[in-house]
Each structure stands twice: as structure tokens, then as C-alpha cells.
Amino acid sequence: MLCKVCDRALNRTQWSKDETLKSCPSCSQENGAEHVFFNYPVRFGTTPFRASPNHPEGPQSHCIECRADNLVDMSQAVYCSAIEIK
Ligand SMILES: [Zn+2]
Ligand SMILES: [Zn+2]
């Protein structure tokens, strides 16, 4: 499934230009229309196992609620149509 705003796959992580927001692949697929972003790193967390040259701190790919299988608080969600992505 592709995002109607940026035309990229909903299950691929996207970053806002300033990297303070990151999309959650499962929340975005759940939305079905556009990428759903949350504050990074607060809503994601990091792990050394996911360290990469671009993100040496190792961002978790899914938001904390999705990883815990909890209901996601969408009140803080930011949508692809509202921001500039990288
Ligand atoms: Zn998008
Ligand atoms: Zn999520």
C-alpha cells in the first residue's frame, strides 16, 4: 500500500526533514491512506541492535505502543500531509 501523500510504501519508515518525527509502519498501514508520524525518539525508543550509519543511536522501527501490542494514542499523531518528509 502506498501513501496518498508521498507515494512511498506505508510500511516503510519515513522521517520528517528535521528528524524529530518518524513514521510507524504498522500505524501507517492501519491508517491505510497516509504515513502516521510520532515524536522521535520519545514514542519509539532506541536499541544498539538497530544502529546504522545514518542513525547510530538505533531507532526502533515501530512505535512503543505497537511493539507492546497496546492501543496507540493517536492524539499526538502527525500525518504525512501535515509535514515535510526527507
Ligand atoms: Zn507519506
Ligand atoms: Zn505504531
Side-chain angles (χ1 to χ4, degrees):
M1 257 191 308
L2 295 179
C3 173
K4 287 182 178 144
V5 180
C6 67
D7 239 19
R8 298 177 190 173
L10 289 174
N11 62 356
R12 293 294 301 273
T13 291
Q14 307 298 329
W15 292 86
S16 67
K17 248 190 170 142
D18 58 6
E19 296 199 345
T20 59
L21 297 163
K22 193 180 102 60
S23 73
C24 171
S26 46
C27 289
S28 301
Q29 282 187 293
E30 187 74 26
N31 178 281
E34 58 182 317
H35 289 107
V36 179
F37 293 77
F38 297 106
N39 283 321
Y40 175 81
V42 196
R43 293 285 295 270
F44 289 90
T46 56
T47 167
F49 297 112
R50 288 189 172 273
S52 68
N54 281 345
H55 294 281
E57 78 280 16
Q60 292 281 7
S61 61
H62 294 78
C63 71
I64 288 170
E65 284 97 334
C66 279
R67 281 188 286 124
D69 238 345
N70 287 336
L71 206 63
V72 181
D73 175 14
M74 286 294 171
S75 64
Q76 306 281 319
V78 181
Y79 298 94
C80 206
S81 48
I83 61 162
E84 217 178 325
I85 59 171
K86 284 195 99 173

